[in-house]
Amino acid sequence: MTNLQELRQRNLETIFHPKSVAIIGTNKVKGTVPHDILDNILKADFDGIVYPVSPKETSIKGIKAYKYVVDVPDNIDLAILVFPSSVCHMALEQCGQKGIKSVIIISAGFKEVGEAGLQREKQLVEIARKYDMSLIGPNCLGVINTAPDVKLNASFAREMPETGNIGFLSQSGALCTAVLDYAQAKHIGFSKFISFGNNADINEIDILYYLMNDDKTKVILMYLEEISDGKALISVAQQVIEKSGKPILVIKAGRTAEGALAAASHTGSLAGADEVCDAAFE
């Protein structure tokens, strides 16, 4: 494991087990993603401290709000960014100055929208590297940890899923919501639920390494629109199966030309040859 991968593993632990969370860019408008992220964290009865950060509000849902994240007087484990993509880099820079190492970027408007978005995404990664931060996203639904001692719904999914032993990771936030709706109807539980969107930093390989050592996870489900590093993916998958005995079930999108085009427009993904993926998974 490289130094960067080791850094991501440490920061993933903080993402799933934070003691304090800042929602940067939240607001009071019900039905909007910035509001719903904060509302979901509170409704799930998160076992930690919550800090709303909003340039326009002094309090939200009865909680003191701060204009900027650097104004928060306490240490923050996890930041969730829901600002427009045009200003995310400024908020992320402040997170670095604050000493925050783990960040989930919900905001869209990055490589999935073209060259200008790709440059904004690269800027985020440069800031993350400067401060030893790790990012999930951008352009994602968020992260859920159902463990009773955490109860973190850092997403804009409508409901917190039941506690279970399935670790689910997906590039598609829309698929995540469909899976959550289906699972709720069937009373299927999850240990960890991760929407990683454009995987600008943390990717499926990092998450597999984490879930391999997660004692709450017994089986892993994956939905991929692109594969970051095929050789590394096969290597970590073999380690997961051999060391932990956890089965991995994978759905790979972009099997047809139309599907590959849809994936590119959705998360800016470049689909690999379907025959290669089939052979590797076999």
Side-chain angles (χ1 to χ4, degrees):
M1 190 179 292
T2 65
N3 291 337
L4 182 58
Q5 287 174 323
E6 290 176 355
L7 173 70
R8 289 171 179 167
Q9 292 305 300
R10 291 194 300 272
N11 291 341
L12 270 168
E13 180 64 19
T14 306
I15 286 173
F16 287 115
H17 296 89
K19 299 299 183 185
S20 54
V21 177
I23 303 89
I24 303 175
T26 189
N27 62 38
K28 291 183 175 181
V29 185
K30 293 182 179 180
T32 64
V33 170
H35 175 274
D36 289 351
I37 295 280
L38 173 62
D39 195 42
N40 284 347
I41 290 174
L42 297 176
K43 285 195 301 185
D45 199 21
F46 168 60
D47 190 26
I49 305 171
V50 180
Y51 299 97
V53 176
S54 175
K56 296 181 180 180
E57 306 293 347
T58 56
S59 68
I60 302 175
K61 300 186 79 67
I63 306 172
K64 177 178 172 60
Y66 296 87
K67 187 171 184 178
Y68 301 112
V69 71
V70 290
D71 296 332
V72 178
D74 308 310
N75 293 330
I76 297 170
D77 287 337
L78 172 63
I80 304 169
L81 267 60
V82 285
F83 270 129
S85 60
S86 58
V87 296
C88 270
H89 67 285
M90 292 187 284
L92 189 63
E93 179 72 34
Q94 288 196 354
C95 288
Q97 294 169 2
K98 181 66 181 170
I100 301 169
K101 299 300 182 185
S102 302
V103 183
I104 301 170
I105 303 180
I106 304 293
S107 315
F110 293 92
K111 75 175 181 180
E112 79 279 3
V113 300
E115 182 60 30
L118 176 61
Q119 294 307 314
R120 287 194 291 269
E121 191 165 306
K122 288 180 177 179
Q123 187 177 21
L124 296 180
V125 175
E126 290 173 1
I127 296 169
R129 294 288 177 275
K130 181 169 68 171
Y131 292 105
D132 285 339
M133 289 188 286
S134 297
L135 313 176
I136 284 185
N139 184 31
C140 70
L141 182 80
V143 168
I144 299 172
N145 182 1
T146 64
D149 61 335
V150 180
K151 293 177 287 188
L152 176 68
N153 183 2
S155 79
F156 58 95
R158 286 177 292 183
E159 298 290 340
M160 180 79 160
E162 296 181 19
T163 301
N165 58 19
I166 299 172
F168 183 89
L169 55 148
S170 168
Q171 275 187 275
S172 168
L175 182 75
C176 285
T177 58
V179 168
L180 285 170
D181 288 344
Y182 177 86
Q184 185 179 25
K186 299 291 185 180
H187 299 288
I188 298 170
F190 297 91
S191 55
K192 308 291 187 296
F193 202 95
I194 309 106
S195 164
F196 59 100
N198 292 6
N199 67 329
D201 183 41
I202 289 174
N203 57 34
E204 70 278 5
I205 296 162
D206 303 307
I207 298 168
L208 278 177
Y209 270 122
Y210 183 85
L211 294 178
M212 175 173 67
N213 299 307
D214 178 40
D215 59 2
K216 298 289 194 299
T217 300
K218 304 303 180 187
V219 60
I220 299 169
L221 308 183
M222 301 174 62
Y223 174 85
L224 302 177
E225 293 182 345
E226 70 175 332
I227 294 174
S228 304
D229 183 335
K231 187 176 180 180
L233 176 62
I234 296 304
S235 175
V236 67
Q238 289 173 335
Q239 291 180 58
V240 170
I241 294 166
E242 292 170 2
K243 293 182 179 180
S244 69
K246 300 175 184 179
I248 304 172
L249 290 83
V250 184
I251 293 178
K252 171 65 173 66
R255 295 177 64 88
T256 64
E258 293 81 2
L261 183 61
S265 65
H266 182 220
T267 56
S269 302
L270 296 175
D274 190 49
E275 296 82 1
V276 175
C277 292
D278 283 346
F281 292 161
E282 182 67 26

